Amino acid sequence: MKRRELLLLLCGAVTAPRAPCAQQKAMPVIGFLNPTSAGSLAPFVAAFRQGLSETGYVEGQNIAIEYRWAEGNTDRLPALAADLVSRKVDVIASTGGSAPARAAKNATSTIPIVFIIGSDPVVDGLVASLARPDGNLTGFTLLFAELTPKRLELLSELVPQARRIALLVNPSNPEAEPLISDTQKAAQAKGVQLHILKVRTESEIDAAFGALAEVQAEALLVGGNPFFDTQREQLVALASRRAIPAIYSEREFAAAGGLISYGTSRTAAYRQAGVYVGRILSGAKPADLPVQQPTTFELVVNLKTAEALGLTVPPSILARADEVIE
């Protein structure tokens, strides 16, 4: 090829019109909705990203995530969900209970929603059934209320002399009523008195622990709730200061110094939610993805805390424990 022809060819390549940007495929966007804060949920967001990566999606490389945090104010959830819908996100990951899931469902009937809640999504009206969710929602339930009787049983086994047990709940949480009802039935069956302590705000936590002495509670059951997750350090510290044996819904409490925990792995649930979101981005429909219930549960015992409380953990509990913190 002559030099003049080569120059003309190169010039043509430089000046040739480029394809319009509209023809380029935009990066998918995930809306992440939660009633708490980024700091308190950091480990679980990492698990969510891990699940996404298992399906080939990496934040900042081939997907973007728009985070919306209610910072403890659930009244903000409808507006946050509406904002995600207005931005035309491809999928909404609604985490942290039925309140954000309901806000997302009310905001859109077309954008796929993957939820993580603590209650029964059929009873809550989120899906038609677990096996065939229908509509645009699917996800995972942590069974907070259903596992509370088992936590009461474990607490009674650990502190057999306790005849008066307090239950700490957040009445603002939609799961509160079934949690209270199930625990009351379990308490009656075991012949123990159950005192309900309702807490909505951080300042009310101190007052609730002050009321433990008034009702002469000998043990404490802390109900599963996103708000309590954000106050984990305060709850564990107050239980230690009051020298009251307490059982919690997640291992993170026992790892932070709580006596004992029993429940579903939230880390596993968030990872699985990331997998579901990735599958939907790849073409799966929420209606074809069954709502998942946990099949394995974590029993974690903190022996250091037990020793500080003067408790001897029964061999029957230690033998069943998935993790023993010494």
Side-chain angles (χ1 to χ4, degrees):
M1 182 180 293
K2 295 181 180 179
R3 182 172 179 273
R4 182 172 178 275
E5 294 173 336
L6 178 59
L7 288 173
L8 289 172
L9 181 62
L10 290 173
C11 289
V14 171
T15 58
R18 297 181 181 180
C21 293
Q23 294 179 3
Q24 299 177 5
K25 181 172 175 57
M27 183 182 293
V29 180
I30 300 166
F32 190 96
L33 181 65
N34 188 275
T36 63
S37 61
S40 66
L41 214 71
F44 306 114
V45 172
F48 177 76
R49 293 194 190 106
Q50 179 186 341
L52 283 169
S53 68
E54 292 174 16
T55 58
Y57 293 97
V58 179
E59 183 178 13
Q61 293 185 16
N62 56 359
I63 56 161
I65 304 179
E66 290 271 353
Y67 297 95
R68 297 294 181 272
W69 307 98
E71 302 292 343
N73 184 358
T74 55
D75 291 340
R76 296 181 57 203
L77 289 169
L80 294 175
D83 179 52
L84 289 173
V85 172
S86 70
R87 292 176 182 271
K88 296 182 171 57
V89 298
D90 295 275
V91 187
I92 295 176
S94 166
T95 65
S98 58
R102 192 172 293 113
K105 181 177 182 179
N106 291 340
T108 178
S109 60
T110 55
I111 297 175
I113 299 168
V114 176
F115 57 73
I116 299 177
I117 64 175
S119 56
D120 186 332
V122 177
V123 174
D124 286 344
L126 295 174
V127 297
S129 73
L130 300 182
R132 299 187 62 82
D134 293 337
N136 60 319
L137 284 85
T138 187
F140 302 82
T141 173
L142 303 178
L143 300 178
F144 280 153
E146 290 82 353
L147 293 178
T148 304
K150 178 63 177 179
R151 295 187 189 106
L152 180 67
E153 179 183 325
L154 284 165
L155 190 58
S156 296
E157 188 177 348
L158 181 58
V159 194
Q161 72 276 13
R163 309 313 302 164
R164 292 177 296 275
I165 296 176
L167 170 65
L168 193 69
V169 296
N170 177 4
S172 300
N173 185 19
E175 290 90 359
E177 287 307 316
L179 190 151
I180 291 172
S181 177
D182 289 349
T183 311
Q184 285 174 330
K185 293 175 184 176
Q188 290 172 359
K190 294 196 71 66
V192 300
Q193 296 179 29
L194 185 69
H195 298 275
I196 311 299
L197 301 176
K198 297 182 178 181
V199 171
R200 294 180 178 84
T201 64
E202 184 177 349
S203 61
E204 290 179 343
I205 293 177
D206 289 316
F209 273 84
L212 291 175
E214 297 176 16
V215 300
Q216 298 180 320
E218 299 161 291
L220 174 65
L221 197 163
V222 179
N225 178 253
F227 168 63
F228 291 158
D229 295 335
T230 66
Q231 307 301 318
R232 186 181 304 128
E233 300 295 334
Q234 181 186 8
L235 289 167
V236 169
L238 285 170
S240 175
R241 193 180 309 158
R242 298 279 178 178
I244 186 163
I247 187 167
Y248 307 88
S249 61
E250 299 165 358
R251 76 164 298 280
E252 284 75 20
F253 284 89
L259 174 61
I260 185 172
S261 67
Y262 179 76
T264 310
S265 168
R266 268 214 300 166
T267 300
Y270 274 78
R271 183 189 64 78
Q272 291 167 339
V275 171
Y276 259 26
V277 169
R279 290 177 63 183
I280 289 171
L281 289 174
S282 296
K285 296 180 180 179
D288 297 330
L289 298 175
V291 175
Q292 298 288 335
Q293 297 186 90
T295 56
T296 59
F297 308 98
E298 296 178 324
L299 174 59
V300 183
V301 180
N302 192 314
L303 286 183
K304 184 177 179 181
T305 302
E307 182 180 354
L309 292 170
L311 293 174
T312 300
V313 180
S316 58
I317 290 182
L318 290 176
R320 286 175 281 162
D322 298 281
E323 182 180 356
V324 176
I325 300 171
E326 302 189 53

